[in-house]
Amino acid sequence: MATIDDVARTAGVSTSTVSYVLSGKRPISAPTRLRVEKAIRELGYRPHAGARALASSRTQVIALMAPLRVDVDVSVIMQFVTGVVTAARTYEHDVLLLTQDDAAGLDRVASGSMVDALVVMDIEDDDPRVPLLATLRQPTVLIGLPHEAAGLSCVDLDFEGAGRLAVRHLAARGHRAVGLVGSPPAVLERHTSYAERILRGFRSEAQSLEVQSGHVACESSPSGARAAVDALLAAVPDVTAVVVHNEVALPFVVSALHDRGLRTPQDVSVLAVCPPEVAESQPVPLSSIDLPAHTIGAVAVEMVMARLDQDHPAETRLLTPRVVDRGSVLDRAAVPDQRVSP
């Protein structure tokens, strides 16, 4: 197996010059760099990862904390993970996946110099991990928006804006009684950032537009969806539109509405907040405020690299929500009363 000394002898340079070509820590003239690169190719030299990390003070690894809790949609979580991994490869970084949310794991990974930076998901409004993350030497990007970011960078969909947009979109189409079928109770009990923000936006816009509204938490199961639909219909009997922010429960909610004699969209319009393929794959394709999970993951990596390579200051980026019309929201201003008796 070729060594760095073999490369240096073949290229006619010192071992330190080879090291500088590999690490990029010092400028090397083009002819010399080309000789070194040619020798590396000819000899099939591959620098040891540990030695390369010591030479460059980089591990070329990003830690991604993506807690896989029982009350989260793993398929959606993996879209974020895919976005992070794909973007990391464009920067020649690997990803170390942490599936627990314990601070000890964070401390072990960071203090052991195993990674260059961290991306942390499933952020709570008052997240206990934030104080520790703020003390680390590695830059950290949160996918989510805590109440206090403590100088950390954040990226997410503007969920509060999504809640406002959902009500505004429905009200503009003549809906005066709307409901939100939201995250499971455990997610709300943890004060998970996205769930709190969409509910806040939904309620504030409904109040501002004087639209009757109701919210129910929903377990991610058929029985949970049936219970949530019954609770919503009891709270808002005249509901004509339902916003669903629960990817797993979404098909069960639509089915529960149908079982109660409410057709979509003729009787009750449905607007989902979810990744586009989830909305498109329903038996009746659903209009939605799309959750760009892959894009958010990629942006998180871009922000990490900006902090690593350019010492970019901490920032918050909230992606603008947009409604994609797939025909499941009826314009009641044009067709005032389509509901039939169950």
Side-chain angles (χ1 to χ4, degrees):
M1 181 180 294
T3 66
I4 192 170
D5 292 328
D6 296 330
V7 174
R9 281 193 296 270
T10 301
V13 299
S14 66
T15 54
S16 61
T17 298
V18 177
S19 178
Y20 292 142
V21 168
L22 292 171
S23 68
K25 294 183 70 173
R26 289 191 182 180
I28 302 296
S29 69
T32 300
R33 186 179 69 255
L34 290 172
R35 288 207 313 276
V36 171
E37 291 172 348
K38 183 173 183 289
I40 289 172
R41 288 194 302 272
E42 290 177 349
L43 296 172
Y45 173 66
R46 293 183 178 277
H48 184 272
R52 186 170 62 245
L54 289 172
S56 65
S57 299
R58 291 280 187 90
T59 65
Q60 303 300 112
V61 177
I62 297 171
L64 171 61
M65 176 169 273
L68 299 182
R69 299 185 173 103
V70 295
D71 50 19
V72 300
D73 186 347
V74 174
S75 64
V76 174
I77 291 293
M78 292 311 296
Q79 290 191 30
F80 286 97
V81 172
T82 300
V84 170
V85 171
T86 303
R89 291 309 308 148
T90 66
Y91 291 98
E92 298 183 345
H93 274 65
D94 292 312
V95 175
L96 174 64
L97 181 61
L98 309 175
T99 57
Q100 301 296 321
D101 64 350
D102 62 297
L106 280 175
D107 188 52
R108 181 176 64 254
V109 168
S111 63
S113 300
M114 297 171 63
V115 299
D116 296 331
L118 300 96
V119 175
V120 181
M121 294 181 56
D122 202 29
I123 300 299
E124 298 170 11
D125 191 52
D126 187 19
D127 200 299
R129 295 169 293 179
V130 168
L132 171 61
L133 292 167
T135 67
L136 302 181
R137 65 175 180 80
Q138 294 95 333
T140 298
V141 173
L142 308 179
I143 296 181
L145 186 63
H147 177 68
E148 175 53 62
L152 304 173
S153 293
C154 304
V155 59
D156 206 355
L157 179 69
D158 180 0
F159 277 100
E160 186 167 346
R164 290 195 299 268
L165 174 62
V167 175
R168 196 161 58 247
H169 180 77
L170 296 172
R173 284 150 184 79
H175 296 274
R176 308 307 302 171
V178 302
L180 171 61
V181 176
S183 300
V187 173
L188 292 168
E189 288 165 7
R190 286 201 308 270
H191 300 286
T192 306
S193 170
Y194 64 80
E196 297 250 314
R197 286 183 284 139
I198 195 168
L199 180 55
R200 187 161 57 241
F202 177 86
R203 284 174 168 167
S204 65
E205 193 69 13
Q207 182 178 12
S208 175
L209 297 178
E210 298 182 347
V211 170
Q212 184 184 3
S213 68
H215 164 258
V216 291
C218 181
E219 294 287 2
S220 301
S221 65
S223 61
R226 289 192 295 270
V229 167
D230 287 342
L232 182 62
L233 293 177
V236 190
D238 297 327
V239 67
T240 61
V242 177
V243 180
V244 183
H245 182 215
N246 186 322
E247 297 91 350
V248 176
L250 179 59
F252 308 137
V253 170
V254 175
S255 178
L257 289 169
H258 185 268
D259 290 345
R260 283 142 185 81
L262 300 174
R263 302 164 299 168
T264 301
Q266 295 94 329
D267 303 315
V268 175
S269 295
V270 176
L271 178 65
V273 182
C274 63
E277 59 273 17
V278 175
E280 292 167 351
S281 66
Q282 301 306 311
V284 175
L286 299 176
S287 299
S288 66
I289 297 175
D290 288 345
L291 173 59
H294 192 280
T295 299
I296 291 171
V299 171
V301 173
E302 292 172 8
M303 295 171 73
V304 156
M305 298 310 301
R307 298 201 69 178
L308 274 173
D309 295 338
Q310 305 165 28
D311 199 22
H312 199 282
E315 61 175 321
T316 294
R317 297 189 198 175
L318 295 180
L319 279 62
T320 302
R322 294 181 175 83
V323 173
V324 178
D325 183 7
R326 299 187 180 91
S328 66
V329 173
L330 185 72
D331 189 345
R332 296 184 70 85
V335 187
D337 189 5
Q338 287 288 307
R339 181 174 293 201
V340 298
S341 299

